[in-house]
């Protein structure tokens, strides 16, 4: 199975997608109930990396400049790496010594893309926790399709993770509202409409 097909299957069979649109969810035949949980692996060459100021890692224009800068600083020989895209993180590993160099939480990834004139390369930029720095890494895939598959996979995983986060926040809000209604104060508000109106007026003035 090609990397693009595997990434598409992982997206389709993810339970997160099932929660997002259950009426359209039709799982395909697979031995893995959630392929993104185990990850989609990409093999590539590690070209270069650099630490940058947080503001330098923002925006498409800066991202293109980062790719060009890293490509110019790349020096052979290039080490073979694996980039494992999972539902919660991206794991970057040196194949030669099986050493994990980075375990990047998905929510810290600020950019993953390629350059128009460097179609085999892809760049990952991520923030450091509690820091004003970002780290950028440039890789080169075997061909253009694999580089594109890598970028699309990260984009899809990020979108799924963001939708899951939104659903979690909505559930927290519903739980909080239900708890407030069940509290003695909440029951008093529901039983006394004058109190509700009076309180609403105060809120209006405050806002």
């Amino acid at each position: 199975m090609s990397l693009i097909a595997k990434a598409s299957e992982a997206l389709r069979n993810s339970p997160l997608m099932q929660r997002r649109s259950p009426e359209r969810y039709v799982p395909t035949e697979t031995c893995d109930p959630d392929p993104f949980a185990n990850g989609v692996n990409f093999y590539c060459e590690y070209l270069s990396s650099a630490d940058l100021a947080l503001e330098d890692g923002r925006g498409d224009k800066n991202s293109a400049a980062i790719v060009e800068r890293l490509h110019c600083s790349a020096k052979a020989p290039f080490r073979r790496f694996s980039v494992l895209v999972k539902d919660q993180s991206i794991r970057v590993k040196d194949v030669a010594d099986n050493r994990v160099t980075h375990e990047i939480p998905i929510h810290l990834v600020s950019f993953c893309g390629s350059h128009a004139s460097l179609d085999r390369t892809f760049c990952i930029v991520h923030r450091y926790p509690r820091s004003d720095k970002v780290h950028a890494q440039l890789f080169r895939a075997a061909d253009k399709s694999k580089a594109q598959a890598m970028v699309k996979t990260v984009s899809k995983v990020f979108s799924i993770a963001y939708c899951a986060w939104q659903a979690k926040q909505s559930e927290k809000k519903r739980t909080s509202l239900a708890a407030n209604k069940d509290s003695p104060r909440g029951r008093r508000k529901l039983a006394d409409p004058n109190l509700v109106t009076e309180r609403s007026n105060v809120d209006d003035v405050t806002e």
Side-chain angles (χ1 to χ4, degrees):
M1 181 183 292
S2 69
L3 287 174
I4 296 177
K6 186 175 181 180
S8 298
E9 182 191 18
L11 177 68
R12 181 176 177 79
N13 289 301
S14 172
L16 291 173
M17 285 300 290
Q18 182 180 12
R19 290 197 293 270
R20 186 178 176 187
S21 54
E23 72 281 357
R24 297 182 181 180
Y25 179 74
V26 182
T28 55
E29 290 295 327
T30 178
C31 58
D32 190 343
D34 186 6
F36 273 138
N38 292 328
V40 181
N41 209 11
F42 297 87
Y43 288 95
C44 51
E45 292 179 322
Y46 170 86
L47 300 185
S48 182
S49 66
D51 286 339
L52 308 165
L54 184 61
E55 58 270 17
D56 292 336
R58 293 174 175 169
D60 293 340
K61 187 175 181 180
N62 285 346
S63 299
I66 290 171
V67 174
E68 293 172 359
R69 171 182 167 182
L70 293 178
H71 189 264
C72 290
S73 64
K75 294 181 180 179
F78 303 117
R79 303 198 307 275
R80 184 169 171 77
F81 269 55
S82 70
V83 180
L84 181 66
V85 183
K86 303 179 71 176
D87 55 352
Q88 297 294 325
S89 66
I90 298 176
R91 178 177 296 172
V92 182
K93 186 167 64 175
D94 191 329
V95 174
D97 56 11
N98 208 34
R99 177 175 57 92
V100 175
T101 60
H102 290 86
E103 185 82 35
I104 310 165
I106 283 293
H107 70 276
L108 292 182
V109 176
S110 56
F111 172 79
C112 180
S114 56
H115 193 282
S117 61
L118 304 168
D119 53 17
R120 288 176 54 198
T121 64
F122 61 89
C123 180
I124 301 173
V125 180
H126 68 90
R127 294 182 288 110
Y128 286 117
R130 298 176 295 278
S131 173
D132 58 354
K133 296 285 187 180
V134 297
H135 187 68
Q137 302 178 82
L138 185 66
F139 303 91
R140 182 167 59 199
D143 54 50
K144 180 178 179 180
S145 64
K146 288 182 174 62
Q148 290 178 337
M150 168 66 197
V151 173
K152 289 179 180 179
T153 301
V154 173
S155 176
K156 290 174 181 177
V157 170
F158 188 89
S159 296
I160 291 174
Y162 181 68
C163 288
W165 177 84
Q166 286 184 313
K168 188 176 181 179
Q169 296 304 307
S170 297
E171 183 62 30
K172 281 184 178 180
K173 188 175 181 179
R174 284 194 296 269
T175 302
S176 177
L177 289 173
N180 288 336
K181 286 181 181 179
D182 291 337
S183 67
R185 186 176 180 181
R187 288 195 295 271
R188 185 184 170 198
K189 285 183 179 181
L190 293 175
D192 188 351
N194 293 326
L195 180 62
V196 175
T197 304
E198 186 177 323
R199 179 61 182 171
S200 297
N201 291 336
V202 172
D203 289 340
D204 291 341
V205 173
T206 305
E207 290 173 358

